[in-house]
Amino acid sequence: MNRTGTRVMLVFGDPIAHSLSPLMQNAALQKAGVNAVYGACRVPKEQIGAAVAAVRLLNVWGVNLTVPLKEVVCPFLDELDPAAQLIGAVNTIVNRDGHLVGYNTDVYGVRRTLDLDLGFDPAGKRVMILGAGGASRAAIVALCQAGAASLGIANRTVARAETLIAEFAPAFPKTAFHACSLSSLDLGNGLKKADLLINATSVGLKGDRFVDFPWPALPDHAPVLDIVYSTEETSFVAAAKRHGHMATGGLGMLAAQGEKAFELWTGIAPQEWLMRSCLNAAQGKPTLLPMEGNLLAGMIGS
Ligand code: ATR
């Protein structure tokens, strides 16, 4: 490929060393013949303003943001798309001739993994979300936009769930909201009528787990999504499966948010299943895509 005029894309986060975004984005760029490279930079939270200034100075084409930068980046951008504005978090920046626009493609990621991995259409359904932080905000917007009938927000700190509901309920008048605690009794009552359960807490990130989770209350038909992304099956997904539920972790969401970001930057959709296959390959799982020219093997080995 002619590398004259190669554009640069980056992911910022702290920590960032283990990000799989460079793997899947570079594979997609190469496959699509886009003359660009995607790298990872550690950016401490207090340096986000300087990092965004560098994006402008160096004319970086696009940026992804991960923990802990998604919220703090907002004031440094020129424009936020409506979903990012509502959520108050940006995971993708598009540089349009120096005008930096913030998007939240996690919303698309949630919708896509519900569809592809769980065959779940939120329209008219009742959903229980665990957690009231950033991940929960993206899930709420995704579900409300897709027409969920009711959303329960269960959080360790109930007041935080109530604050979240007060913020989102006016934007989504067709969805009924209710808050509850994570106690077995409270949560068990809420789960009885749920058609879908989502873990959007950070429980499971460091190998920790919920104790006394009221699994028997969740109806058999309800699938389970654990937004926590881990290279191994999380304890939450494992427990859901043990109790007979269809369940998936955050891999599908990670791939889908990356696909949407790629499309926002380049104007073209990445090859279907490529990013997901990269993530599977990185975990030593079978890929879904025939690998041409040993593209992935080379990238993973490098
Ligand atoms: P993120 O942006 O990744 O969602 P966050 O804003 O720090 O991160 O939110 C983390 C969520 O996980 C919160 O809902 C938090 O509950 P609190 O609001 O009560 O802090 C939840 N969480 C973290 N550790 C938890 C634990 N050990 N048990 C239950 N919930 C936990």
Side-chain angles (χ1 to χ4, degrees):
M1 186 190 295
N2 173 12
R3 281 292 177 197
T4 312
T6 302
R7 308 284 318 256
V8 174
M9 266 96 116
L10 296 169
V11 56
F12 294 162
D14 186 17
I16 199 63
H18 297 102
S19 171
L20 293 172
S21 290
L23 177 72
M24 63 180 192
Q25 292 290 352
N26 281 313
L29 289 167
Q30 196 169 333
K31 182 73 193 164
V34 177
N35 189 5
V37 291
Y38 185 108
C41 300
R42 188 175 80 84
V43 174
K45 205 171 176 176
E46 51 284 0
Q47 294 294 329
I48 187 62
V52 173
V55 168
R56 296 180 193 277
L57 180 72
L58 304 174
N59 198 24
V60 173
W61 195 13
V63 177
N64 276 142
L65 298 132
T66 184
V67 178
L69 306 172
K70 292 182 184 186
E71 289 89 13
V72 293
V73 74
C74 294
F76 297 97
L77 304 177
D78 300 312
E79 189 183 334
L80 296 184
D81 111 300
Q85 181 103 48
L86 197 58
I87 296 165
V90 162
N91 77 330
T92 302
I93 302 172
V94 181
N95 184 350
R96 298 212 170 92
D97 299 323
H99 185 78
L100 301 189
V101 187
Y103 292 87
N104 193 306
T105 70
D106 288 334
V107 174
Y108 174 80
V110 172
R111 289 278 295 276
R112 190 85 176 140
T113 192
L114 289 178
D115 181 22
L116 285 183
D117 297 304
L118 299 173
F120 185 86
D121 175 2
K125 302 288 185 4
R126 293 167 297 200
V127 183
M128 177 63 80
I129 300 176
L130 312 178
S136 177
R137 298 172 74 88
I140 291 171
V141 171
L143 291 160
C144 290
Q145 284 182 343
S150 87
L151 284 191
I153 315 290
N155 201 44
R156 180 174 60 180
T157 317
V158 184
R160 208 173 161 205
E162 285 164 350
T163 307
L164 201 62
I165 290 172
E167 190 185 332
F168 281 106
F172 298 108
K174 291 186 182 150
T175 303
F177 291 86
H178 58 99
C180 75
S181 77
L182 287 178
S183 78
S184 297
L185 188 65
D186 236 12
L187 184 57
N189 276 332
L191 285 180
K192 275 182 203 157
K193 292 185 191 139
D195 299 307
L196 169 72
L197 170 63
I198 297 181
N199 175 32
T201 71
S202 48
V203 176
L205 256 183
K206 294 174 186 145
D208 49 345
R209 60 182 63 221
F210 289 101
V211 275
D212 298 330
F213 195 87
W215 285 110
L218 185 66
D220 292 343
H221 74 271
V224 175
L225 167 64
D226 189 358
I227 286 181
V228 170
Y229 173 73
S230 161
T231 46
E232 282 164 28
E233 186 169 84
T234 62
S235 60
F236 196 71
V237 169
K241 286 182 180 170
R242 265 200 316 279
H243 286 84
H245 299 279
M246 186 189 275
T248 190
L251 184 139
M253 185 178 156
L254 181 66
Q257 64 75 33
E259 287 168 355
K260 183 53 86 181
F262 183 97
E263 204 177 324
L264 286 168
W265 294 320
T266 66
I268 50 177
Q271 189 188 26
E272 219 175 332
W273 299 109
L274 177 59
M275 292 200 186
R276 192 179 272 251
S277 290
C278 287
L279 298 180
N280 281 333
Q283 295 178 25
K285 289 183 188 162
T287 59
L288 300 162
L289 191 78
M291 292 301 148
E292 290 162 38
N294 224 3
L295 171 69
L296 286 177
M299 301 189 86
I300 292 163
S302 62

